[in-house]
Amino acid sequence: MASHRKSRPTGTRVAGIRTPALATAALTSVALLSQSANAAPEADEKPSLEEVEKKVGDLYRQAESATDKYNAAKEKTAKQRKRVDTLLDDVAQRTQKLNEAREELGSFAAAQYRTGASAPDTATFLLADTPQDYFDQTQLMDRMTGRQKVAVDDYVTQQSETMKKRQEATESLTTLTESQGDLKTAKATVQRKLADARQLLSQLTAEEKARLAAIEKQKQQEAARKAAELAREQAAQQQAQDQAPQQQESGSPAPGSGTSSTAPADSSYATKAEKALAFARAQIGKPYVWGAVGPGSYDCSGLTQAAWKAAGVTLPRTTYDQVTAGTTVPLSQAQPGDLVFFYDDVTHVGMYIGNGMMIHAPKPGTYVREESIYYDGESAIHSVVRPA
């Protein structure tokens, strides 16, 4: 019996496609699409070296900003904890006085009960053993009534003040808890930013690391050139100032000094600055550690704070507070000891030592060192502040 099935065509059959040419084209398209899908993410996930450098720099600056928030929260937490302890001690003392006032009122109440002072005068007279006893009790209670009034007033005052201090202590404890939360958040942010930066750097090849080092070297050379340029400018200004008195005596103006506005630091500032700089130089080589204030390690504002403290000048803890703790001066008039602040959000600070150079604690993984104030470009410089 003949079969009614159609004979199968020769050739390859893939996914219902009977035509060999169409099947081959489909396979080729799928393969190309697959390769494109796999290749695109790889291109996107591999940033350029310049992008990596910028991203790492941004992460370090963000970590410094978070470090300042951490430092502020830590300082606030310490102050708040001290205030809470003081308030709790005060509440305990006031509670003791309140208990003593309560006991005194209790003794008055007992005395009234024993002498019958709470009874009507007629009943007290009739119940007294003798008329003289009545008059003695009345005279005693008159004196006691005055003392009792003082005791009651004292009790009411102590009770009111104790309740007020308890409320203050409760509010301070709430603020302390919030400060501790801010401290924890800032710390986590710093750690996350630093971890991200380390992760990016760890993905670089040896060749990329070498190229990155070459880029950094070029930046350092440019920073040194700019520092030398500033040093020459400041030297010219100083020479003009030194010549000005002589020119005034002779009646002729010094060359180029017609509108000099340079305001040199006074001798007392120079003396303090010398002490601060001596301290800062002694810290060179110590590691940067975020949140550290010495003596074994520092962050940027911790170093400047400690240096000026050695000179007898108290600075705030954070960069954005230190930037307001003095007189702002033009960069061209910077003197040794002045504080140089960086970036729009004022997240870094160094101490000027002259000739366009500073001492600072740069970033995690580095050490306290001397470096050009142009280390991250001229645009990174925010302001110069004379703190004393």
Side-chain angles (χ1 to χ4, degrees), residues 179-222:
S179 297
Q180 290 172 331
D182 293 341
L183 185 65
K184 184 177 181 180
T185 299
K187 183 176 181 178
T189 301
V190 173
Q191 292 173 331
R192 185 175 66 255
K193 297 296 183 183
L194 295 180
D196 290 345
R198 287 192 293 267
Q199 176 69 16
L200 279 173
L201 292 174
S202 68
Q203 294 173 349
L204 296 177
T205 64
E207 181 184 354
E208 288 172 331
K209 289 178 181 179
R211 286 174 54 203
L212 191 61
I215 293 173
E216 183 64 25
K217 185 176 181 180
Q218 288 179 349
K219 288 176 62 176
Q220 290 175 354
Q221 291 173 343
E222 175 61 18

Side-chain angles (χ1 to χ4, degrees), residues 57-384:
D58 289 344
L59 286 169
Y60 278 136
R61 283 192 290 276
Q62 290 166 15
E64 278 198 300
S65 177
T67 298
D68 262 341
K69 292 178 181 178
Y70 170 84
N71 292 337
K74 186 177 181 180
E75 190 174 43
K76 182 179 179 181
T77 298
K79 290 180 179 178
Q80 202 63 36
R81 183 178 289 112
K82 185 177 180 180
R83 173 170 171 75
V84 167
D85 290 342
T86 300
L87 284 171
L88 290 177
D89 288 343
D90 191 20
V91 167
Q93 293 174 5
R94 291 181 182 278
T95 301
Q96 178 62 30
K97 291 181 180 179
L98 185 62
N99 291 336
E100 292 172 357
R102 187 182 291 113
E103 290 175 2
E104 188 173 6
L105 286 178
S107 67
F108 280 125
Q112 286 181 329
Y113 178 79
R114 289 194 303 270
T115 59
S118 59
D121 289 345
T122 302
T124 303
F125 177 78
L126 293 174
L127 292 173
D129 293 336
T130 65
Q132 186 62 45
D133 288 342
Y134 167 75
F135 290 117
D136 290 343
Q137 291 177 11
T138 302
Q139 187 178 13
L140 175 63
M141 288 311 302
D142 285 343
R143 293 196 302 268
M144 291 182 66
T145 300
R147 290 174 57 196
Q148 182 179 5
K149 184 178 184 305
V150 172
V152 170
D153 290 344
D154 183 58
Y155 176 80
V156 171
T157 301
Q158 293 292 340
Q159 186 180 44
S160 175
E161 291 180 353
T162 300
M163 291 299 294
K164 182 180 178 181
K165 289 299 179 181
R166 282 177 177 167
Q167 181 63 29
E168 286 183 24
T170 300
E171 292 173 357
S172 292
L173 281 170
T174 301
T175 304
L176 176 60
T177 302
E178 292 173 354
S179 297
Q180 290 172 331
D182 293 341
L183 185 65
K184 184 177 181 180
T185 299
K187 183 176 181 178
T189 301
V190 173
Q191 292 173 331
R192 185 175 66 255
K193 297 296 183 183
L194 295 180
D196 290 345
R198 287 192 293 267
Q199 176 69 16
L200 279 173
L201 292 174
S202 68
Q203 294 173 349
L204 296 177
T205 64
E207 181 184 354
E208 288 172 331
K209 289 178 181 179
R211 286 174 54 203
L212 191 61
I215 293 173
E216 183 64 25
K217 185 176 181 180
Q218 288 179 349
K219 288 176 62 176
Q220 290 175 354
Q221 291 173 343
E222 175 61 18
R225 186 190 67 79
K226 292 288 293 182
E229 183 179 304
L230 177 61
R232 288 192 295 271
E233 179 184 348
Q234 291 180 327
Q237 288 182 351
Q238 186 62 49
Q239 184 179 9
Q241 287 176 358
D242 294 342
Q243 292 177 351
Q246 300 174 4
Q247 296 295 335
Q248 288 175 356
E249 290 178 2
S250 63
S252 59
S257 62
T259 58
S260 176
S261 60
T262 302
D266 58 31
S267 59
S268 64
Y269 177 80
T271 301
K272 293 176 182 177
E274 187 177 350
K275 292 180 180 178
L277 287 171
F279 180 93
R281 286 193 177 94
Q283 313 313 309
I284 290 177
K286 293 183 178 180
Y288 175 104
V289 174
W290 64 271
V293 293
S297 57
Y298 296 89
D299 63 14
C300 64
S301 57
L303 175 63
T304 51
Q305 183 189 46
W308 271 104
K309 183 179 180 180
V313 177
T314 301
L315 292 181
R317 177 64 183 92
T318 63
T319 54
Y320 48 78
D321 285 329
Q322 289 184 8
V323 75
T324 63
T327 304
T328 301
V329 297
L331 177 59
S332 62
Q333 297 178 22
Q335 297 286 332
D338 291 350
L339 302 180
V340 185
F341 294 90
F342 297 86
Y343 311 116
D344 293 338
D345 52 356
V346 196
T347 54
H348 189 67
V349 61
M351 181 175 290
Y352 192 66
I353 61 176
N355 296 325
M357 302 292 288
M358 67 178 174
I359 296 175
H360 70 147
K363 60 186 178 182
T366 63
Y367 299 86
V368 177
R369 66 193 183 199
E370 291 187 9
E371 193 165 25
S372 168
I373 62 172
Y374 299 101
Y375 79 107
D376 203 20
E378 186 172 4
S379 62
I381 298 175
H382 177 273
S383 57
V384 179

